[in-house]
Amino acid sequence: MYTAKGQLDRNTLIRQYQPLVRKLAHHMMAKLPANVEVDDLIQVGLIGLTEALSRFEATQGVQFETFATQRIRGAMLDELRENDWVSRGTRKSQKEIEESMRRLEHRLGRTPLESEIAADLGMSLADYQSLLSKVRGSQLVYLEDMVGSDSDDEDTFLDRHLGDVDANPLNVLRDLRLRQALVAAIKNLPEREQYIMSMYYEQDMNLKEIAAVLDVTESRVCQLHSQSIARLRAKMRSH
């Protein structure tokens, strides 16, 4: 990976880490609305990779892949923030789905089915599933806020809302309750949605890989993934 002069071989490294850029882009796509193009993320990610090559210093004691991953993700997130990909209409639809879930769970005393949510929203099941695909991105941002981020310099949901937990015993108790509530909410998801959450977040599988395991289409995984996030957000709004 180094030239005869002891410098990083940029061309070799760019070729070597292009799959990493693609992986990060595809993994991020499930967090974004349908109008975002994966090729755009890949192009921005390659710019982040190039910047990582320019700034990396082996003497810092950090592996290049770790350093590059942070730069690539950062470049993609900066691009998304700058362009504000999530429309007001998408945010409105997202809130309507969550409100419907809360109403139905209160009325039924259990987790509502897809067909019940669709009926409550006054739409067909097909239209509701199509809506899930459109609102996927704006939901996941909030889940990442709650469970943390891969980047060390980004605050978690707990950091922003609970402050210095060590300084206040009440905050320690709130921290514990919030974490317990999130774990309980995940355990109460329908079985298939629990599997999807586990494969996506714990096993780092992308939507295509999960679809192959479950023997469904990738778009169906995307819908179920969005629905599980909406269920969690509906549960966690009270904490």
Side-chain angles (χ1 to χ4, degrees), residues 68-85:
T69 297
Q70 293 176 347
R71 287 284 174 176
I72 294 166
R73 284 188 75 252
M76 293 177 181
L77 290 171
D78 286 345
E79 175 71 11
L80 293 168
R81 291 189 191 105
E82 182 178 343
N83 288 282
D84 190 16
W85 293 100

Side-chain angles (χ1 to χ4, degrees), residues 176-218:
L176 178 61
R177 286 176 176 171
L178 181 63
R179 291 178 186 275
Q180 289 175 337
L182 180 58
V183 171
I186 292 173
K187 289 182 178 178
N188 285 330
L189 289 174
E191 187 175 30
R192 176 170 281 195
E193 291 178 28
Q194 285 190 50
Y195 288 151
I196 290 173
M197 297 294 284
S198 175
M199 285 185 280
Y200 190 84
Y201 290 102
E202 295 179 15
Q203 302 177 40
D204 199 31
M205 297 171 64
N206 60 39
L207 298 184
K208 184 176 182 180
E209 293 168 336
I210 296 172
V213 171
L214 297 180
D215 194 24
V216 296
T217 64
E218 187 173 342

Side-chain angles (χ1 to χ4, degrees), residues 28-34 86 90 94 132-142 226:
M28 194 173 287
M29 280 300 294
K31 312 167 190 177
L32 301 170
V86 182
T90 297
Q94 168 193 329
L132 284 174
S133 298
K134 294 177 182 177
V135 303
R136 58 185 180 181
S138 54
Q139 295 170 340
L140 267 173
V141 171
Y142 289 87
S226 291

Side-chain angles (χ1 to χ4, degrees), residues 49-164:
L49 174 60
T50 302
E51 292 177 350
L53 287 169
S54 301
R55 297 174 179 270
F56 180 71
E57 295 181 12
T59 55
Q60 294 176 337
V62 179
Q63 291 186 348
F64 177 74
E65 183 168 339
T66 301
F67 182 80
T69 297
Q70 293 176 347
R71 287 284 174 176
I72 294 166
R73 284 188 75 252
M76 293 177 181
L77 290 171
D78 286 345
E79 175 71 11
L80 293 168
R81 291 189 191 105
E82 182 178 343
N83 288 282
D84 190 16
W85 293 100
V86 182
S87 68
R88 290 182 181 179
T90 297
R91 292 189 182 98
K92 182 174 181 289
S93 296
Q94 168 193 329
K95 290 180 180 179
E96 289 174 349
I97 291 173
E98 292 169 18
E99 289 294 337
S100 173
M101 289 177 171
R102 279 195 291 275
R103 283 195 304 270
L104 288 170
E105 184 154 345
H106 178 73
R107 185 193 312 161
L108 301 172
R110 58 169 172 79
T111 300
L113 304 174
E114 275 185 292
S115 56
E116 293 169 332
I117 300 169
D120 184 70
L121 291 170
M123 35 176 93
S124 68
L125 180 59
D127 286 342
Y128 169 64
Q129 291 174 342
S130 176
L131 183 61
L132 284 174
S133 298
K134 294 177 182 177
V135 303
R136 58 185 180 181
S138 54
Q139 295 170 340
L140 267 173
V141 171
Y142 289 87
L143 179 66
E144 286 193 331
D145 283 346
M146 286 189 284
V147 302
S149 165
D150 293 335
S151 175
D152 293 334
D153 60 0
E154 291 184 14
D155 290 339
T156 64
F157 177 91
L158 297 176
D159 292 330
R160 289 200 301 275
H161 291 79
L162 301 183
D164 184 2

